[in-house]
Amino acid sequence: MSDSVKPMNSPEPLGQLPKPVTSMPSLAKVEAGHRAHTPSAVLAKIRTSHPRSSRVPDQIFGVIILLSAISVFAIVVLVVWELVSKSQLSLHQFGLKFFYGHDWDPVNGNFGAMPFIYGTLVSSLLALVLAVPLSVGVAVFITEMCPQSLRAIISFLVELLAAIPSVIYGLWAIFVLAPLLRVYVEPFLAKTLGWTGLFSGTPYGLGMLAAGIILAIMIVPIIASITREVLIAVPQNQREAVLALGATRWEMIRIGVLRNARIGIVGGIILGLGRALGETMAVTMVIGNTPQIAKSLFAPGYTMASVIANEFSEATGDLYLSALVEIGLALFLVTLVVNALARLLVWSITGGTARVRA
Amino acid sequence: MGVGIEVHGLNAWYGKNLALNSIDMSVPANHVTAVIGPSGCGKSTFVRCLNRMHETIPEAYAEGSVKVGEMDVYGSGSDPVEVRRRIGMVFQKPNPFPTMSIYGNVAAGLKLNGFRNRKQMDELVERSLRLAALWDEVKDNLHKKSGASLSGGQQQRLCIARALAVEPEVLLMDEPASALDPISTSKIEELIFQLKQHYTVVIVTHNMQQAARVAELTGFFLMGSLIEYDKTEKIFTTPADKRTEDYVTGRFG
Amino acid sequence: MDQGATAFAILAAILVLVPLLAIFAYLVIKGIGSVNLAFLTQTPKPPGEAGGGMANAIVGTGLILAIASVFGVPLGIGSGIYLAEYGRNRFGDFIRFTADVLNGVPSIVIGIAVYSLIVVRQKHFSAFSGGVALGIMMIPTIARATEEMLLMVPNVVREAAYGLGIPKWRTTLSISLRTASAGVITGCMLAFARVAGETAPLLFTAFGNQFWNLKLNQPTAALSLQVFTYAISPYDEWHKQAWAGALILIVMIVGAVAAVRLTTRGSLKGA
């Protein structure tokens, strides 16, 4: 701008300027009525009643807010610290053997967590197998098929499913689901699919199958709500593009919607897995609490979370307690990895807008 | 009463981008001064520098000298919050506080700055609403209706009343009528004309007719520089700079 | 194929809703008979004996939730304010990640940590430690809800406040947070509903108690714990009471969720 003419910074006196607008009589009258008020008095009052610097209160507020944010981090650090320090004894005593040892023998001080790891994995995977098709189905139903009037109601009911406490699921599973399984479902499965070995032995009702089913019911709302979010995030023009090619509705959903949303759906599924792995009460109430590895899903089992719930407050001896804390530490690490993975996937689809609740 | 504004060597940046280049300008007290120019020329940035609103944008900063009356806006002891308390601002889009009543909106600046006298506050609210030519339209619903329930033009006059309630010496208006219909616009323009009796008004506008109607002085900005600054009449009839002439005659911009 | 897929989606919706309806139906049918004045005013009777109630557990749950809220709500809202108003940077991303980690920690693990941190040091189970455990679980939910809601407050509203010379702390509390208050309250209620029925973290913190306790440093009964204990017991009388306790618990929680739904209808995404 070197060639610019230096602007004239002090215009001539303005006294004789022609008025660009004619005066407004009505407003002028209003004005005249209130000219008696002396603005500067009030102004001065605000200024004196209020010390001039706002920096100190602003800094104090900033520090308080920063501290509460740091508290979140501090809590996580404390949790990890307690888990690591309290599990040292068991970590040193057993090393890696802890994770593949089959023996859980508090009396003789011998601890192997394999049956619990197995129970956690099998019950969670079983839950996924049952929950995934249902969740995706219900999400597709809500976003693509459901009449507008039903949409809000069904979404609300599915969310309500997430609000039911674990202990109530457990109560219902003990007194309703388990007898149902024992009397009808398990005999039927034994007859038709008994040859696989997965459905054999005495139908107790309580056992791995009951745990898997109740977990599936519990994680459906998580997977369904995230799937719904990612389905909504699929741009409308993707749907229209497929429909314009002459696709049927199902083809449109499969090609235009599910294909585009698959990474996000996988994210939702993994998030559901994270919840299933750490779920405690409902599973504890129906899985049978027997540390064994059995092929049949009818047989009772035990999970990592359940053994902590059942034995932690009664554990005698430092080594026993330490072994239970180590299971807790393992559970924490596994869910951490699983959740991180899930969030990464969900965020890659929705750009971080999806409300993720687990 | 209003006070004058003296600007010397004002530079403003957004991160590494220079948005204002060494602005010198002298705004007289109790006059309406318009700032015009094509979009992106720095006219909004300029008024936002006058009350240190510019720096509320992340990575934005300004340097130079701005004196509003006796107050050194960018002086070492200067507090941006204090500066803004003494310089009112009206924004492009009406932005009443959505959860507050009409009264609450106008009183917000007073209350949140620690003003407690109820009776005086009532008076100030009424005076500000009258000044903003909104009193007759809202006086029956002061506490009942929320600020957000008013029409766009009323909302903008509410925002003007809100700015006036804290008794500023200078009123900055950043395209105050750009989101409004013609009738609301003419009301706001009448209002601006009245306000200069008490305040120094600086108004940014992309509408040259508006500048011609309300302002006694006009500054023309282009690419971050002040090209020409003179009496409005002169700017629009016999500008000294070719670029100003091109702009006001509609040849670019 | 088209019809098959449609049928499957409808079937899935039905299969998902059946357990929900079944659970509510059973809670009402089995629970309502045992909810009476004695249940609401008396403490538990010894095993197998008829009568008694869960008054102490209802009060205990209230006590624990009050402690949890006192602890969790301010920290949650504070962190949410940080994330929205100060945390648009690396450190903010880090805190956001940490909050997500905390959100994913299994509740039983929170129980272990609070046991080691508080119960071991105090040398006894307590209502306080139970409240802290639940409070910790509330923080991430409230923080993220507060952040989201504050980010929805248009920036012009903040500018208006700054333009009036209102300091940042005042603007944040009296303008931004106030504008976002409906959503923030929703977040708090959802967090509250989420922890109200939690049992696992209370097993070795609040621990449970068959008698009245209003002292913060003593073991305390809680509805969820009582339902658990009674459900796995061999006594029919206790089973009935477990259903009744569960009914009361679910009424509390669904009441909270539904209240939130009704007051914020449609205005809040995903709430």
Side-chain angles (χ1 to χ4, degrees), chain A residues 10-63:
Chain A
S10 302
E12 298 160 32
L14 295 148
Q16 314 85 337
L17 259 182
K19 294 227 156 162
V21 194
T22 52
S23 64
M24 309 315 148
S26 59
L27 269 174
K29 236 184 285 160
V30 168
E31 196 44 39
H34 282 78
R35 208 172 297 176
H37 196 87
T38 50
S40 45
V42 180
L43 183 73
K45 191 152 188 177
I46 294 181
R47 304 237 164 97
T48 48
S49 71
H50 217 70
R52 58 175 271 292
S53 182
S54 64
R55 278 184 194 149
V56 174
D58 261 352
Q59 275 163 1
I60 294 172
F61 181 71
V63 167

Side-chain angles (χ1 to χ4, degrees), chain A residues 1 4 6-9 11-12 14 17 20-21 31 34-35 39 42-43 46-47 50 52-55, chain B residues 24 26 31 77-79 81 86 110 113 124 130-131 166-167 197-198 212-213 225-226 229-231 243:
Chain A
M1 293 267 97
S4 77
K6 193 68 184 159
M8 190 171 71
N9 289 323
E12 298 160 32
L14 295 148
L17 259 182
V21 194
E31 196 44 39
H34 282 78
R35 208 172 297 176
V42 180
L43 183 73
I46 294 181
R47 304 237 164 97
H50 217 70
R52 58 175 271 292
S53 182
S54 64
R55 278 184 194 149
Chain B
D24 295 311
S26 164
H31 283 82
S78 160
D79 175 14
V81 172
R86 295 172 62 169
L110 296 166
N113 278 321
L124 267 172
R130 279 189 193 277
L131 270 174
V166 287
E167 309 250 319
Q197 297 178 11
H198 291 295
R213 282 194 298 267
S225 292
L226 177 60
Y229 175 43
D230 212 323
K231 280 182 268 183
R243 289 164 295 182

Side-chain angles (χ1 to χ4, degrees), chain A residues 7 11 19 26 75 94 116 124 127 132 149-150 166 179 195 230 248 324 328:
Chain A
K19 294 227 156 162
S26 59
I75 287 169
F94 303 111
F116 311 115
S124 301
V132 167
S149 55
L150 269 180
S166 177
W195 52 272
V230 286
T248 62
L324 287 168

Side-chain angles (χ1 to χ4, degrees), chain A residues 48-203:
Chain A
T48 48
S49 71
H50 217 70
R52 58 175 271 292
S53 182
S54 64
R55 278 184 194 149
V56 174
D58 261 352
Q59 275 163 1
I60 294 172
F61 181 71
V63 167
I64 292 173
I65 290 302
L66 180 65
L67 283 179
S68 52
I70 290 175
S71 78
V72 176
F73 174 63
I75 287 169
V76 172
V77 168
L78 277 177
V79 168
V80 173
W81 170 252
E82 288 297 334
L83 291 175
V84 171
S85 65
K86 294 286 191 311
S87 61
Q88 282 307 309
L89 202 57
S90 162
L91 271 167
H92 284 132
Q93 182 92 9
F94 303 111
L96 273 182
K97 204 178 109 228
F98 184 77
F99 296 104
Y100 58 80
H102 285 225
D103 232 14
W104 185 261
D105 185 359
V107 181
N108 295 314
N110 216 344
F111 298 100
M114 193 63 201
F116 311 115
I117 296 169
Y118 174 85
T120 294
L121 288 180
V122 171
S123 60
S124 301
L125 291 178
L126 186 59
L128 280 190
V129 168
L130 296 170
V132 167
L134 286 181
S135 315
V136 176
V138 83
V140 167
F141 180 75
I142 291 173
T143 51
E144 311 287 335
M145 302 175 175
C146 177
Q148 197 70 42
S149 55
L150 269 180
R151 191 170 290 185
I153 298 173
I154 294 186
S155 311
F156 173 64
L157 289 176
V158 172
E159 273 172 36
L160 211 54
L161 213 48
I164 298 175
S166 177
V167 71
I168 293 185
Y169 277 110
L171 175 74
W172 181 78
I174 288 181
F175 294 108
V176 182
L177 181 64
L180 210 67
L181 289 176
R182 185 175 62 235
V183 179
Y184 301 103
V185 180
E186 291 187 348
F188 172 77
L189 285 173
K191 214 183 290 170
T192 52
L193 293 167
W195 52 272
T196 57
L198 292 175
F199 307 101
S200 58
T202 322

